[in-house]
Amino acid sequence: MSTAIKTLVCAQPGQFTYSNREMPTPAEGMAIIKIKRIGICGTDLHAFEGTQPYFNYPRILGHELAGELVDAGGAPGFEPGEIVTFIPYFSCGRCIACRNGKPNCCTDIRVFGVHIDGGMAEYVQVPSSALLHGQGLSADELALVEPLAIGAHGVRRAGVTPGEFVLVIGAGPIGLGIMEFARIAGADVIAMDINAQRLEFCKNRLGIPHIINASTQDVNEALKQITNNDFPTVVIDATGSQKAINNGFQYLAHGGRYVLVGLQKNEIVVSHPEFHKREATLMSSRNATREDFEQVIATIKDGKVDPANYITHRVDFDEVASAFPDWLDPKNGVIKAMVQL
């Protein structure tokens, strides 16, 4: 095995550099994975743009990952050679969030590819406690478990019940996952975006019954028609857009819940009287838990979600630096870019 591995470093906004690093060495409690697939997510795109909160440069991006287990680091039940994924949020285990069963919002959390170097590398080393069995899923499917888990967690935070109208703002990969799991929870899902191509994807590929183009339609009137003047009891933002997040408050039914999955850097602005009279609930949804990851894997195995729907672009690892800027352009129709090694 070579002692040097190739990595791709985001040196600063707009700049990628390939470089070599030392091969990770076996250690108790630390697993080594030979990376096979890297999914590109909004966090990676925003980091490249320079708009991602909680971020420092230089950084190796990538946290939607699947690969071949080289060394399990002592993790029971895992064998070298199996295809695995892992939970890329490393928590302290001691803080109030961790003690209360919410390691996804640990006070000292380290997200792979965000706070620490991530998976755009030939090999990675991660805590063996984070490993997840592949359970027969393909590398493509396993690389999409993490973004789908984000969606599953947001829906679980919202407490979606059968028959509710759920408005999902933003039809990117995270928003699409939210729509899928809201549908699985029995909701009547409404997809909203300003990108007609993505809305067509929602309608034709995911079977979302209600579509609103916020750039061409009167959103309030459309919501009135769809919900018989009630408005959605759940609104979930997956845009990361300050304007969209602030606008989302007005679409909420009285007594409803608003869940922010998307993240942006600035202040939320809301009319207190409008929010107050609704006796509304505002929640954030951060990362996901092992429960969410296991739900996603089971859902894929059961055929309720098909991750292959999401993959629109595919490149080899050596092509990422040159292809990445194009993925930022909405005209190129990227839903999910997948990197293969």
mmCIF file of all heavy atoms in Angstrom, residues 32 60 69 75 88 128 150 250 267 270 278 285 302 306 313 335-336:
data_model
loop_
_atom_site.group_PDB
_atom_site.id
_atom_site.type_symbol
_atom_site.label_atom_id
_atom_site.label_comp_id
_atom_site.label_asym_id
_atom_site.label_seq_id
_atom_site.Cartn_x
_atom_site.Cartn_y
_atom_site.Cartn_z
ATOM 1 N N ILE A 32 -10.201 2.918 8.868
ATOM 2 C CA ILE A 32 -9.651 3.426 7.609
ATOM 3 C C ILE A 32 -10.535 2.938 6.471
ATOM 4 O O ILE A 32 -10.853 1.744 6.384
ATOM 5 C CB ILE A 32 -8.203 2.952 7.396
ATOM 6 C CG1 ILE A 32 -7.295 3.475 8.515
ATOM 7 C CG2 ILE A 32 -7.675 3.433 6.031
ATOM 8 C CD1 ILE A 32 -5.878 2.948 8.463
ATOM 9 N N ILE A 60 -10.200 20.202 3.171
ATOM 10 C CA ILE A 60 -10.608 19.111 2.298
ATOM 11 C C ILE A 60 -12.108 18.919 2.514
ATOM 12 O O ILE A 60 -12.548 18.633 3.625
ATOM 13 C CB ILE A 60 -9.840 17.808 2.611
ATOM 14 C CG1 ILE A 60 -8.344 17.988 2.355
ATOM 15 C CG2 ILE A 60 -10.379 16.650 1.767
ATOM 16 C CD1 ILE A 60 -7.507 16.792 2.758
ATOM 17 N N LEU A 69 -14.066 -0.768 3.462
ATOM 18 C CA LEU A 69 -13.427 -0.755 4.773
ATOM 19 C C LEU A 69 -12.073 -1.467 4.690
ATOM 20 O O LEU A 69 -11.996 -2.635 4.302
ATOM 21 C CB LEU A 69 -14.332 -1.441 5.793
ATOM 22 C CG LEU A 69 -13.907 -1.355 7.261
ATOM 23 C CD1 LEU A 69 -13.848 0.097 7.725
ATOM 24 C CD2 LEU A 69 -14.862 -2.162 8.127
ATOM 25 N N ALA A 75 -13.882 -2.010 15.601
ATOM 26 C CA ALA A 75 -15.347 -1.944 15.660
ATOM 27 C C ALA A 75 -15.924 -3.348 15.547
ATOM 28 O O ALA A 75 -15.641 -4.062 14.578
ATOM 29 C CB ALA A 75 -15.881 -1.064 14.541
ATOM 30 N N PRO A 88 -20.930 11.377 9.568
ATOM 31 C CA PRO A 88 -19.782 12.290 9.512
ATOM 32 C C PRO A 88 -19.821 13.436 10.513
ATOM 33 O O PRO A 88 -19.209 14.478 10.282
ATOM 34 C CB PRO A 88 -19.851 12.812 8.079
ATOM 35 C CG PRO A 88 -21.316 12.872 7.801
ATOM 36 C CD PRO A 88 -21.931 11.703 8.529
ATOM 37 N N SER A 128 -14.200 4.692 14.549
ATOM 38 C CA SER A 128 -14.871 3.436 14.200
ATOM 39 C C SER A 128 -16.303 3.393 14.727
ATOM 40 O O SER A 128 -17.153 2.690 14.180
ATOM 41 C CB SER A 128 -14.070 2.248 14.731
ATOM 42 O OG SER A 128 -13.856 2.364 16.124
ATOM 43 N N ILE A 150 -30.466 13.940 6.522
ATOM 44 C CA ILE A 150 -30.764 15.335 6.864
ATOM 45 C C ILE A 150 -32.259 15.602 6.672
ATOM 46 O O ILE A 150 -32.925 16.214 7.513
ATOM 47 C CB ILE A 150 -29.949 16.293 5.983
ATOM 48 C CG1 ILE A 150 -28.453 16.113 6.207
ATOM 49 C CG2 ILE A 150 -30.379 17.742 6.215
ATOM 50 C CD1 ILE A 150 -27.912 16.693 7.466
ATOM 51 N N GLN A 250 -44.789 33.783 6.447
ATOM 52 C CA GLN A 250 -46.142 34.196 6.038
ATOM 53 C C GLN A 250 -46.943 33.050 5.430
ATOM 54 O O GLN A 250 -48.159 33.167 5.234
ATOM 55 C CB GLN A 250 -46.054 35.348 5.032
ATOM 56 C CG GLN A 250 -45.402 34.979 3.716
ATOM 57 C CD GLN A 250 -45.271 36.157 2.777
ATOM 58 O OE1 GLN A 250 -46.273 36.650 2.275
ATOM 59 N NE2 GLN A 250 -44.051 36.617 2.554
ATOM 60 N N GLU A 267 -29.311 37.540 9.768
ATOM 61 C CA GLU A 267 -30.384 37.528 10.756
ATOM 62 C C GLU A 267 -31.712 37.106 10.136
ATOM 63 O O GLU A 267 -32.007 37.412 8.986
ATOM 64 C CB GLU A 267 -30.537 38.917 11.381
ATOM 65 C CG GLU A 267 -29.329 39.349 12.199
ATOM 66 C CD GLU A 267 -29.480 40.750 12.756
ATOM 67 O OE1 GLU A 267 -30.426 41.458 12.321
ATOM 68 O OE2 GLU A 267 -28.682 41.138 13.608
ATOM 69 N N VAL A 270 -38.690 38.681 11.250
ATOM 70 C CA VAL A 270 -40.066 38.213 11.260
ATOM 71 C C VAL A 270 -40.944 39.264 11.947
ATOM 72 O O VAL A 270 -40.505 39.927 12.895
ATOM 73 C CB VAL A 270 -40.183 36.850 11.980
ATOM 74 C CG1 VAL A 270 -39.633 36.924 13.400
ATOM 75 C CG2 VAL A 270 -41.616 36.338 12.003
ATOM 76 N N ARG A 278 -50.280 33.419 15.329
ATOM 77 C CA ARG A 278 -50.397 32.041 14.862
ATOM 78 C C ARG A 278 -50.086 31.022 15.967
ATOM 79 O O ARG A 278 -50.304 29.831 15.787
ATOM 80 C CB ARG A 278 -49.424 31.797 13.695
ATOM 81 C CG ARG A 278 -49.850 32.446 12.387
ATOM 82 C CD ARG A 278 -48.719 32.391 11.373
ATOM 83 N NE ARG A 278 -49.123 32.720 10.015
ATOM 84 C CZ ARG A 278 -49.306 33.937 9.552
ATOM 85 N NH1 ARG A 278 -49.137 34.986 10.372
ATOM 86 N NH2 ARG A 278 -49.675 34.150 8.311
ATOM 87 N N SER A 285 -33.156 22.511 12.439
ATOM 88 C CA SER A 285 -32.868 21.089 12.317
ATOM 89 C C SER A 285 -31.433 20.965 11.837
ATOM 90 O O SER A 285 -31.104 21.411 10.731
ATOM 91 C CB SER A 285 -33.829 20.430 11.324
ATOM 92 O OG SER A 285 -33.531 19.065 11.151
ATOM 93 N N ASP A 302 -36.138 -1.030 1.336
ATOM 94 C CA ASP A 302 -37.545 -1.358 1.102
ATOM 95 C C ASP A 302 -38.072 -0.807 -0.220
ATOM 96 O O ASP A 302 -39.243 -1.035 -0.563
ATOM 97 C CB ASP A 302 -38.408 -0.817 2.254
ATOM 98 C CG ASP A 302 -38.184 -1.572 3.561
ATOM 99 O OD1 ASP A 302 -37.603 -2.677 3.511
ATOM 100 O OD2 ASP A 302 -38.571 -1.043 4.617
ATOM 101 N N ASP A 306 -35.542 5.921 -4.007
ATOM 102 C CA ASP A 306 -34.545 5.479 -4.978
ATOM 103 C C ASP A 306 -33.487 6.558 -5.143
ATOM 104 O O ASP A 306 -33.704 7.541 -5.864
ATOM 105 C CB ASP A 306 -35.210 5.178 -6.321
ATOM 106 C CG ASP A 306 -34.218 4.660 -7.361
ATOM 107 O OD1 ASP A 306 -33.043 4.459 -7.011
ATOM 108 O OD2 ASP A 306 -34.632 4.462 -8.518
ATOM 109 N N HIS A 313 -25.111 14.102 -12.464
ATOM 110 C CA HIS A 313 -23.773 14.323 -13.008
ATOM 111 C C HIS A 313 -22.802 13.367 -12.318
ATOM 112 O O HIS A 313 -22.938 13.083 -11.122
ATOM 113 C CB HIS A 313 -23.319 15.771 -12.784
ATOM 114 C CG HIS A 313 -24.125 16.783 -13.545
ATOM 115 N ND1 HIS A 313 -25.466 17.007 -13.293
ATOM 116 C CD2 HIS A 313 -23.778 17.624 -14.560
ATOM 117 C CE1 HIS A 313 -25.910 17.949 -14.120
ATOM 118 N NE2 HIS A 313 -24.908 18.337 -14.886
ATOM 119 N N ILE A 335 -28.653 18.217 -9.906
ATOM 120 C CA ILE A 335 -29.337 17.837 -8.694
ATOM 121 C C ILE A 335 -28.312 17.266 -7.723
ATOM 122 O O ILE A 335 -28.109 17.772 -6.628
ATOM 123 C CB ILE A 335 -30.455 16.806 -8.967
ATOM 124 C CG1 ILE A 335 -31.512 17.401 -9.913
ATOM 125 C CG2 ILE A 335 -31.102 16.360 -7.644
ATOM 126 C CD1 ILE A 335 -32.331 18.521 -9.357
ATOM 127 N N LYS A 336 -27.641 16.186 -8.147
ATOM 128 C CA LYS A 336 -26.575 15.595 -7.336
ATOM 129 C C LYS A 336 -25.421 15.178 -8.244
ATOM 130 O O LYS A 336 -25.599 14.368 -9.164
ATOM 131 C CB LYS A 336 -27.097 14.384 -6.569
ATOM 132 C CG LYS A 336 -26.048 13.651 -5.750
ATOM 133 C CD LYS A 336 -25.430 14.547 -4.681
ATOM 134 C CE LYS A 336 -26.421 14.980 -3.638
ATOM 135 N NZ LYS A 336 -25.794 15.795 -2.550
#
